[in-house]
Amino acid sequence: MVTSCSNCPLRKLDAFKDISGAELTFMDRFKTGELEAQPGTEIMAQGQSSTHLFTCLRGMGLRYKTFENGHRQVIGFVMPGDFIGLQAGVMSEMEHSVEASTQMALCTFNRSDLWTLFKSHPSLAYDLTRIAALEEVFLGEALSVVGQLDAHAKVAWALQRFFTRLQAVGMGGDNHVPLPYRQQDLADALGLSLVHTNKTLARLREAQVATWVGSRLTVHDPDELAKMAHIDLATVRKRPLI
Amino acid sequence: MVTSCSNCPLRKLDAFKDISGAELTFMDRFKTGELEAQPGTEIMAQGQSSTHLFTCLRGMGLRYKTFENGHRQVIGFVMPGDFIGLQAGVMSEMEHSVEASTQMALCTFNRSDLWTLFKSHPSLAYDLTRIAALEEVFLGEALSVVGQLDAHAKVAWALQRFFTRLQAVGMGGDNHVPLPYRQQDLADALGLSLVHTNKTLARLREAQVATWVGSRLTVHDPDELAKMAHIDLATVRKRPLI
DNA sequence: CGATTACTTGAGGCCTGTCAATGATGGTGG
DNA sequence: CCACCATCATTGACAGGCCTCAAGTAATCG
C-alpha cells in the first residue's frame, strides 16, 4: 500500500512548505514506489552512483563518511522529510553513505526523471536547490560547532537540534522525542570519543537539563540547553518537501 | 571595463564545465556588472539578505561564521569561479559572512533574476543545484577532517586542497601557488589554535613537504602531503561556472 | 545461559590550548 | 629619516580537556 504524495502525512505538518496542485500531481508521477529498510541496512554507499533517489517517509537513519583508517564521521542524521541522494542525483556519485538506524520507509524516485523535474517544474527545481542550500547551512553550523565548541557545548547543541527537529515533524511529546541512535553515533558526529561523550551526557543528566536514556530524549530545561549550546535561537525554517 | 561571460577567462580553464551558446547569451544578460572589493571588506554579512549575488572573478576571500563569544569558524575559502550568495538567493538570508582577503573582482547578478534563470534555463538551474551539492560535499569533507584527524593531518589536508584547487584555476607555477591568507584564518578553519597551527606548519616545513611563507605555498612533496592528509586521492571535479 | 552489543566508570597520559614574550614587516607621522 | 604603532609570525613553558586503556554492568537474543 503506497501513500500518494497528495495524501502524504508529512505534507500536513507545519514544518514543510505547501506546494501547488500541479506540482503535487507531478510528484505523484515522480514517485515510483516505496522501500522498507531494516535497521543497520545501508541505503546508499559512499563512492557509488545510484539510479534511485529517496525521501524519508518514516524512521530515522544517519549519513556518514569513513576513512581508510577506520575512523567514521557522522555527517548528519536522517529524519522524516529528508531528501536522500541529491549528490548522486546531480553529480556522479555519493560522497557519503546513508544507513538506516531504525526501520525506515522511503519514497523512491528515478534519478533519470530528475531532469524532467528541472525542465517542466522550475519551482520544484528551486525547492531542490533550496534543500541543497539548507543542507549546506546545517553542515556549516555543524562544522562550526565541531571546530569551536568544547564537548559540553557540542553535546548540548546536538541534543537541542534533535529535540527541535523531531518536534517539528510531530514525533514525541511536549518534553521528549524518540532518539534511536547510539552514543557512538553522537560521538562520531561531534568528533568526540565514546567515553567522553558518555561522561558529558551524564553531566547533562545530573544537571537536570536533558536525559537521553533508552532511545528517548527528555529535555527538562530547553532554555538552559540552548544556552549551553551557544546558539542564538534556533532558526527554525520551513523546508521544502520533495 | 566589464568582461562579457562569453569572453570570461575562467571559462577557458579546464576546471570548469562548458555550457551552450544559448546559456552563455543568457549569462551575459544575467550578469549586471562587476564589483571591486578591497582587502578586509565584508562582501556579504551573516544574517542579512542581499539583492545581489556574485561570482568571484579574481582574487580570494573567505567565508566564516562568528559566535557570540567571539570565536570564529572559517567555513571555506573563496577562489576564482566560486559562486557567492546562493543561500541569500534561495533562502531568506546568509548564514555566514564573506570577506575579501585580497583585492577581488566580482561579477554581480540580481537576485530577482534568479527565478527567471530557473524558469527559462533548466540546465543552468541544474548547474546551480550542482554547485550547492558541491559545496555540501566540501563541507562534509571539512567536517570529517576537523572532526576526525589530528592537527598534523588537518593542516596537510588544507594545504593539499589549496594547492590542487589553485592549480586548477591556473594560479601559480608547477610547485607553488599564491596563498594570501593568515595563519589565523587556517587555524579558524581547522578548529586549531593559532599557536598550534604555526608549530604544525613549521614541522611540515622542516620535513621538506610544504612551505608556506609570505603568501606563497610551495609544495615540495605532493605525494607525501596527500598521504599525511589521509585522503584517498583528491576527486578533482569539473565544476559549473555561473 | 553464553554471546553480543551498548552503556558506564575510573585511571593515566598526551595532544592541543592558553599565556607570554620576541622578532619581523610595513605603514604613518613628526 | 627615524621613532612609533599595528599586524602577523614564531617560540617556549605550562596546564588542562579529551583520548585511550581497561574493566564492569545491563540488556537483548538465539
Side-chain angles (χ1 to χ4, degrees):
Chain A
M1 172 58 199
V2 168
T3 57
S4 83
C5 297
S6 334
N7 294 328
C8 181
L10 292 175
R11 210 169 282 287
K12 298 185 176 69
L13 294 171
D14 212 40
F16 299 104
K17 290 191 129 88
D18 291 326
I19 62 176
S20 77
E23 277 127 24
L24 257 185
T25 309
F26 176 83
M27 284 301 302
D28 270 324
R29 264 186 301 136
F30 186 35
K31 174 172 172 179
T32 57
E34 280 178 22
L35 176 69
E36 287 283 327
Q38 300 308 313
T41 309
E42 195 171 58
I43 296 168
M44 302 195 94
Q46 181 174 355
Q48 299 203 340
S49 66
S50 169
T51 56
H52 289 105
L53 311 176
F54 308 98
T55 289
C56 174
L57 183 58
R58 286 187 302 273
M60 297 167 72
L62 45 82
R63 312 172 190 267
Y64 62 93
K65 285 171 80 85
T66 43
F67 284 66
E68 82 287 351
N69 60 20
H71 282 192
R72 179 182 77 148
Q73 174 70 38
V74 169
I75 300 291
F77 298 86
V78 178
M79 297 173 195
D82 282 352
F83 193 79
I84 301 170
L86 187 67
Q87 288 178 11
V90 297
M91 305 191 323
S92 50
E93 55 187 43
M94 292 290 285
E95 288 296 322
H96 61 256
S97 303
V98 182
E99 166 182 315
S101 294
T102 68
Q103 171 143 11
M104 294 180 75
L106 304 164
C107 304
T108 61
F109 312 101
N110 277 332
R111 179 186 169 179
S112 51
D113 293 338
L114 195 61
W115 176 238
T116 309
L117 183 151
F118 270 84
K119 245 186 340 193
S120 63
H121 291 269
S123 75
L124 288 178
Y126 198 83
D127 281 345
L128 213 52
T129 308
R130 208 174 351 225
I131 286 175
L134 276 169
E135 201 61 39
E136 186 189 327
V137 168
F138 173 79
L139 283 172
E141 185 176 322
L143 178 59
S144 303
V145 168
V146 171
Q148 303 300 327
L149 303 185
D150 62 20
H152 199 246
K154 283 183 185 180
V155 172
W157 171 78
L159 297 185
Q160 213 283 335
R161 282 297 186 237
F162 278 131
F163 187 64
T164 55
R165 180 88 173 79
L166 286 166
Q167 290 276 13
V169 293
M171 299 173 79
D174 65 324
N175 75 337
H176 62 89
V177 290
L179 197 59
Y181 297 107
R182 294 166 302 180
Q183 293 187 357
Q184 184 71 65
D185 297 330
L186 182 58
D188 289 345
L190 298 175
L192 295 173
S193 71
L194 168 62
V195 173
H196 202 65
T197 302
N198 178 289
K199 287 173 180 170
T200 307
L201 285 167
R203 284 182 55 197
L204 283 175
R205 200 182 313 134
E206 288 154 17
Q208 305 277 338
V209 174
T211 305
W212 176 23
V213 178
S215 293
R216 164 180 279 203
L217 168 66
T218 307
V219 175
H220 304 103
D221 191 340
D223 294 338
E224 182 61 20
L225 188 64
K227 189 176 152 200
M228 295 191 305
H230 285 287
I231 35 181
D232 6 57
L233 239 303
T235 45
V236 181
R237 252 179 253 286
K238 280 207 183 193
R239 51 175 63 208
L241 176 63
I242 287 187
Chain B
M1 171 58 199
V2 169
T3 57
S4 82
C5 297
S6 334
N7 294 327
C8 181
L10 292 174
R11 211 168 280 287
K12 298 184 177 70
L13 294 171
D14 211 40
F16 299 104
K17 289 192 133 85
D18 291 326
I19 61 176
S20 77
E23 278 127 23
L24 257 185
T25 309
F26 176 83
M27 284 302 302
D28 270 324
R29 264 186 301 135
F30 187 35
K31 174 171 172 178
T32 56
E34 282 178 20
L35 176 68
E36 287 283 327
Q38 300 309 312
T41 309
E42 196 172 58
I43 296 167
M44 301 195 95
Q46 181 174 357
Q48 299 203 338
S49 65
S50 169
T51 55
H52 289 105
L53 312 175
F54 308 97
T55 289
C56 174
L57 183 57
R58 286 187 303 272
M60 297 167 71
L62 44 82
R63 313 172 189 267
Y64 61 93
K65 286 172 79 87
T66 43
F67 285 66
E68 82 285 353
N69 60 17
H71 281 192
R72 179 183 77 149
Q73 174 70 37
V74 169
I75 299 292
F77 298 86
V78 179
M79 297 174 196
D82 282 353
F83 194 79
I84 301 170
L86 187 67
Q87 288 177 11
V90 298
M91 307 190 321
S92 50
E93 55 187 45
M94 293 289 286
E95 288 295 323
H96 60 257
S97 304
V98 182
E99 166 183 315
S101 295
T102 68
Q103 171 143 12
M104 295 179 75
L106 305 164
C107 303
T108 61
F109 312 100
N110 277 332
R111 177 186 171 178
S112 51
D113 292 338
L114 195 61
W115 176 237
T116 309
L117 183 151
F118 270 85
K119 246 188 336 195
S120 63
H121 291 269
S123 74
L124 289 178
Y126 198 82
D127 280 346
L128 213 53
T129 308
R130 208 172 354 225
I131 286 175
L134 276 170
E135 201 61 39
E136 187 190 327
V137 168
F138 172 79
L139 284 173
E141 185 176 321
L143 178 58
S144 303
V145 168
V146 171
Q148 302 301 326
L149 303 185
D150 61 21
H152 199 246
K154 283 183 185 180
V155 172
W157 171 78
L159 296 185
Q160 213 282 335
R161 282 296 186 239
F162 277 132
F163 187 63
T164 55
R165 179 89 173 79
L166 286 167
Q167 290 276 11
V169 293
M171 299 173 80
D174 64 324
N175 74 337
H176 62 89
V177 291
L179 198 59
Y181 297 107
R182 295 165 303 181
Q183 293 188 356
Q184 184 71 65
D185 297 329
L186 183 58
D188 289 345
L190 298 175
L192 295 173
S193 71
L194 168 62
V195 173
H196 202 66
T197 303
N198 178 289
K199 288 173 180 171
T200 306
L201 284 168
R203 283 181 56 197
L204 284 175
R205 200 182 312 132
E206 288 154 16
Q208 304 278 338
V209 174
T211 305
W212 176 22
V213 178
S215 292
R216 164 180 281 204
L217 168 66
T218 308
V219 176
H220 303 102
D221 191 341
D223 294 338
E224 183 60 21
L225 187 63
K227 189 176 151 200
M228 294 191 306
H230 286 287
I231 34 179
D232 5 58
L233 239 302
T235 44
V236 181
R237 252 180 253 287
K238 280 207 183 193
R239 52 174 65 206
L241 175 64
I242 287 187

